[in-house]
Amino acid sequence: MKIGIISDTHDQRIKILEAIDIFNERKVELVIHCGDWVAPFTAARFSTLMCPIKGVFGNNDGDKVRHRERNDFIEYYDDKMELEIGGRKLVATHGHISGMAEDLVRSGKYDAVFSGHNHIAHLKIEGKTLWLNPGTLVDETNDKTKGMSIAIYDTENNNAEIIKLG
Ligand code: NI
């Protein structure tokens, strides 16, 4: 099963639509958002996804009550979301809580850990755990960021592909 992974969309409305097009074309069956959606009314744009979406809050998602009220099609979690899909143990967290993502990776309890926050896409394997940061939809955060990206994770092979956005 293919799962779209996205993070730090930070109100980038046009890029969100681009990401949705890719996820719909690639027929992902779920999208996981690793936080920093920012405004509830921009998160509402995810309603054109052809699959369910769930995710965690980040450090820039202040109005959690309004997020939940406005976007009842999104399944929001607070700091951590654990899932078991296709025989894989998965967990998502934003990454702003010091050491939390690293601890989840090192715990050895998960097939894959998804996190964001630093806007730098990465795909690493530590032990049996895949650690994926899909990057951001913000074009320029700082010198270290390498453009905009999303990712598609596959439960079949416990691997992922990072997809650059133009
Ligand atoms: Ni953040």
Side-chain angles (χ1 to χ4, degrees), residues 8 36 59-60 94 117:
D8 295 86
D36 278 1
N59 54 307
N60 289 295
H94 181 56
H117 184 57

Side-chain angles (χ1 to χ4, degrees), residues 41-52:
F41 62 85
T42 21
R45 292 217 158 189
F46 285 103
S47 64
T48 56
L49 269 174
M50 293 178 344
C51 67

Side-chain angles (χ1 to χ4, degrees), residues 102-137:
E102 291 84 350
D103 286 349
L104 292 170
V105 172
R106 287 181 200 134
S107 73
K109 280 166 55 183
Y110 304 98
D111 293 293
V113 175
F114 309 125
S115 67
H117 184 57
N118 64 5
H119 296 193
I120 303 171
H122 78 225
L123 184 58
K124 300 177 187 171
I125 293 165
E126 293 197 17
K128 67 160 191 116
T129 303
L130 183 85
W131 185 9
L132 170 66
N133 180 333
T136 181
L137 297 193

Side-chain angles (χ1 to χ4, degrees), residues 16 35 45 55 72 82 93 102 111-112 129 138 140 144 148 161:
I16 287 171
R45 292 217 158 189
D72 58 1
E82 289 178 303
T93 190
E102 291 84 350
D111 293 293
T129 303
V138 178
E140 288 176 356
K144 289 182 191 152
M148 299 162 282
E161 172 192 357

